[in-house]
Amino acid sequence: MQTNKDLWTGRVSNDQLYLHEKIVCLDLTTDPLPINDKKSFALLGYACDEGVKRNQGRIGAKDGPDTIRKMLASLSNHFSDDIDILDIGNITCHSGNLEETHLETSNCIATILNSETFPIVIGGGHDLAYAHYNGIKKHVPEKKIGIINLDAHFDLRAVKEYRNSGTPFYQIAKENDTFQYLCLGIQKASNNRELFETADQLDVSYLFNTAFTMYNRDKVLKTVDSFIATVDLVYLTIDIDGFSSVYAPGVSAPSPLGFSIDIALETIQRICNSKKLISVDLVELNPTYDLDHCTARLASRLIYSIIQELQSL
């Protein structure tokens, strides 16, 4: 499970000027998460694309976590000495057993949260969301958890033969008494009529990609604020394939008409500053189809921005 420490390399300084010099690598199977007065963030890799394969998508997202680590490593370190950034390694899928991998992932996320550490989970396929939500629920079973998904897809497909990267939010909806779900960036061309009908039946809130823009910033932030006001805690999931393929060609399902970086950053900042954000993941980076690592660089900068926003709260 432990990360290959050679991924965290770059220029060397005597004063932790670069992020790779600040990162502490742990193996949760042998190393407990530190307990101290520092605010802590834990990077957990979900090196699994079995769900994408089951959903008839392009495999390769299992290599996403390590690729993002490489892009993070060389970034300048402007973070406070009062925070810890930990890398606790990768969860992998053995012999195609996605169900077992989900259970392991949920338990790991609950362990991170129980240690008062903020999880940033890096995928991997979007089936991760099912495991991620259940990990949060294990930690706070009595709280109303709202899901905000930046994505081109609802991922509300019914489970027929087996769960996959298109079913996570349907599974969550069917297994819980309450289901609070906001999707930002939905595309008509990427979701069939049945998925829209399911979204309506489950009372899902969403904005189309044509509305999730900087031009419409005020409405976007008002929608986000209104949703956050109805829940106790927020789980944020960012599907990189929701971004325009101008910025993110290296994904399982590219979106030429996806959303832009500026509105995504504005939205993420708003969610972070709500003080209700409990956990985050980024999914569907597929290095096989990336160009000069530009998608992996985008993912790394999103992670950097999230830590930057949260470190002073």
Side-chain angles (χ1 to χ4, degrees):
M1 184 176 182
Q2 186 173 20
T3 298
N4 177 2
K5 294 181 180 180
D6 290 342
L7 296 170
W8 293 105
T9 57
R11 293 177 183 268
V12 177
S13 72
N14 296 318
D15 196 27
Q16 291 195 351
L17 295 179
Y18 304 101
L19 199 53
H20 70 89
E21 298 175 305
K22 184 174 180 64
I23 296 289
V24 176
C25 294
L26 298 176
D27 183 346
L28 277 192
T29 60
T30 56
D31 304 321
L33 290 168
I35 299 175
N36 52 47
D37 294 332
K38 291 185 175 183
K39 181 173 285 189
S40 298
F41 299 86
L43 299 172
L44 171 66
Y46 181 73
C48 171
D49 56 12
E50 173 64 23
V52 177
K53 181 180 177 181
R54 292 182 182 188
N55 198 28
Q56 302 177 39
R58 306 193 298 182
I59 61 171
K62 63 182 173 55
D63 298 320
D66 283 355
T67 305
I68 292 172
R69 287 181 173 101
K70 289 179 183 178
M71 298 303 106
L72 276 167
S74 61
L75 298 181
S76 296
N77 173 29
H78 291 281
F79 298 115
S80 168
D81 292 338
D82 294 331
I83 73 166
D84 285 333
I85 305 178
L86 314 171
D87 182 350
I88 60 173
N90 287 337
I91 289 174
T92 57
C93 184
H94 301 288
S95 303
N97 193 335
L98 189 62
E99 292 70 21
E100 183 179 282
T101 303
H102 283 172
L103 180 59
E104 180 184 358
T105 304
S106 295
N107 290 337
C108 187
I109 289 169
T111 297
I112 296 167
L113 289 167
N114 290 340
S115 301
E116 298 185 0
T117 298
F118 187 92
I120 300 175
V121 191
I122 316 167
H126 211 169
D127 55 278
L128 164 63
Y130 175 71
H132 197 158
Y133 180 90
N134 284 329
I136 298 170
K137 189 178 175 183
K138 287 175 190 283
H139 174 64
V140 284
E142 303 304 321
K143 297 290 186 179
K144 184 186 291 186
I145 304 162
I147 305 166
I148 301 181
N149 181 22
L150 275 59
D151 199 346
H153 309 93
F154 284 120
D155 289 338
L156 284 170
R157 293 183 183 277
V159 180
K160 295 181 179 177
E161 295 181 37
Y162 36 65
R163 66 182 69 167
N164 58 61
S165 64
T167 65
F169 302 110
Y170 183 87
Q171 293 173 259
I172 293 168
K174 292 302 179 180
E175 293 178 12
N176 291 275
D177 294 333
T178 61
F179 180 58
Q180 304 288 113
Y181 183 34
L182 170 63
C183 298
L184 302 171
I186 290 297
Q187 297 185 28
K188 276 193 173 181
S190 300
N191 298 271
N192 65 38
R193 290 191 302 273
E194 289 182 352
L195 293 172
F196 278 98
E197 290 169 4
T198 301
D200 291 340
Q201 291 166 6
L202 295 173
D203 200 23
V204 173
S205 301
Y206 59 90
L207 290 178
F208 286 113
N209 59 318
T210 50
F212 188 49
T213 64
M214 281 299 288
Y215 180 79
N216 205 33
R217 175 183 178 276
D218 290 347
K219 181 179 179 180
V220 170
L221 297 183
K222 184 177 179 180
T223 300
V224 170
D225 290 344
S226 297
F227 178 82
I228 291 174
T230 66
V231 299
D232 299 319
L233 297 167
V234 173
Y235 154 43
L236 172 62
T237 179
I238 304 169
D239 192 326
I240 306 298
D241 73 21
F243 286 91
S244 168
S245 52
V246 169
Y247 313 110
V251 293
S252 301
S255 300
L257 299 181
F259 48 77
S260 63
I261 294 170
D262 49 8
I263 191 59
L265 286 174
E266 286 271 349
T267 302
I268 291 166
Q269 182 183 49
R270 193 64 156 237
I271 296 167
C272 288
N273 289 332
S274 73
K275 298 184 179 179
K276 290 188 178 182
L277 184 62
I278 187 171
S279 198
V280 170
D281 62 43
L282 296 92
V283 298
E284 299 288 358
L285 169 69
N286 191 329
T288 303
Y289 301 97
D290 210 356
L291 301 174
D292 194 27
H293 301 302
C294 70
T295 314
R297 295 181 201 277
L298 169 60
S300 71
R301 295 299 182 94
L302 292 173
I303 292 168
Y304 192 98
S305 297
I306 289 165
I307 297 174
Q308 198 166 38
E309 290 295 332
L310 294 176
Q311 69 170 342
S312 58
L313 296 178

